[in-house]
Amino acid sequence: MTAPASSQTKDGARRGAEEAAPPDDRLRPLSAGERESKDLIYQRLLKVMDLSLIGELQDKDARHQIRQICERLMSEQQLPLSLASRQRIVRRIEDEVLGLGPLEPLLADKTVSDILVNGAARVYVERHGRLELTDVSFNNDAHLMNIIDRIVSAVGRRVDESSPMVDARLKDGSRVNAIIPPLAIDGPSLSIRRFAADMLTINDLVNLGSLTRPLADILSAIVRARLNVLVSGGTGAGKTTLLNILSGFIPPTERIVTIEDSAELQLRQPHVVRLETRPPNIEGRGAVTQRDLVRNSLRMRPDRIVIGEVRGGEALDMLQAMNTGHDGSLTTIHANSPRDALGRIENMVAMTGITFPARALRAQITSAIDIIVQIERHEDGRRRVVSLQETNGMEGEIITISEIFTFRRRGLDEQGNVLGGLRPTGIVPGFLKRLRERGIDLSYEVFREAGDKAAGRKTS
């Protein structure tokens, strides 16, 4: 699954149409002469215009004023520029004053899913799952720091030598991480995970080949039947995208509480309460962690709790919530396999400092988590669901899990695309009974292997 926050977008499905379309003039880089003229006009603009008053104007009015002044300054300087060049320069100056400067053309490009700034001189983007170097650059590290400050201050956060790492988000929900010297040796580093303008649906994932129609129907049934789901995968695998889609199956009559480090989820239901963590202030106080929010959410009468990602001690409170009547909860975790995901939850519970006997803790985990969905990002840039597993219980001190669907890989084609498909393993899951108790009827056929189905047809 690819979406600009972490995964495939509808733009990927329309890739051919976009490549055939004429280039957006905003995405065209400035020539050397245009850059010199832009720097000259920008510096003169700073002298003649009170930028402190810009923040009090609507964006449209502010851009109109900047445009008028820039056009007057260019006329006064008698710059030998064409009308198209003048318009490009004015637009870049508007972006510099009101937006994110050199990054604005990249943010306007719908094919870009990630923007990675490695110092002032090197900016990479990800398109269709592959990284490429751009010709975008900043004037110097101070210029890049100014853009970073603009991003983080908009969400009430700060970044400086005493707090050189920060997570933030853009207005469209895109995830931002910045790290600056002395921790970043080669200059400030900025990473932007884009947020999809058009939210993906389960049908989009089927069309993109991220999963199959039978598995899509099963996932919908699992969420509606209030099973607890853990979405597992590596960085950039599309966990948040899938979590967003799964949350869309929650009935609109239910009260949902979302808990995130940086708010990304975009639920469409009418009754949603969104909670976000808060970092410590300059004195190191006032931090509100995910664990604090999970505890507080239990007092908010939620029907469902959706946690963007479990990373620490909140894993214990999440397990307790899932085991005490808050079924139907959804969350994600960084892990390379479903078995690793269960092990990571054990480690996170240990981070609380509370000691549990191994068997007691694992029994609580298997009682709380019903389904694990594993996602991978393959080398061809595509995100795919590669496994659906169900927790069964305990055998001695080991949690037993059954794989219901698995991705069977056959190699690579000439273009480097991964060959293979998602197939049922033939195991009929135990949650089928729970689905039917909820009035959701799934046929046994969707869980049978192709060979079993063929044998069934011959014998019949």
Side-chain angles (χ1 to χ4, degrees), residues 134-161:
T134 71
D135 53 11
V136 173
S137 64
F138 293 82
N139 297 336
N140 47 46
D141 284 352
H143 184 199
L144 175 53
M145 278 298 304
N146 181 51
I147 298 300
I148 293 174
D149 283 333
R150 190 174 300 175
I151 293 172
V152 301
S153 62
V155 292
R157 302 193 175 184
R158 64 185 179 86
V159 59
D160 50 39
E161 287 190 4

Side-chain angles (χ1 to χ4, degrees), residues 69-88:
I69 297 175
C70 287
E71 289 172 353
R72 176 170 58 84
L73 291 173
M74 282 188 285
S75 297
E76 291 175 355
Q77 296 299 313
Q78 297 181 345
L79 298 177
L81 298 169
S82 66
L83 177 61
S85 293
R86 288 171 180 259
Q87 290 174 340
R88 280 197 295 273

Side-chain angles (χ1 to χ4, degrees), residues 14 286 431:
R14 300 191 295 266
F431 63 72

Side-chain angles (χ1 to χ4, degrees), residues 421-436:
L422 197 61
R423 299 287 184 269
T425 61
I427 297 175
V428 178
F431 63 72
L432 200 58
K433 177 182 178 182
R434 184 166 170 184
L435 264 57
R436 289 179 173 169

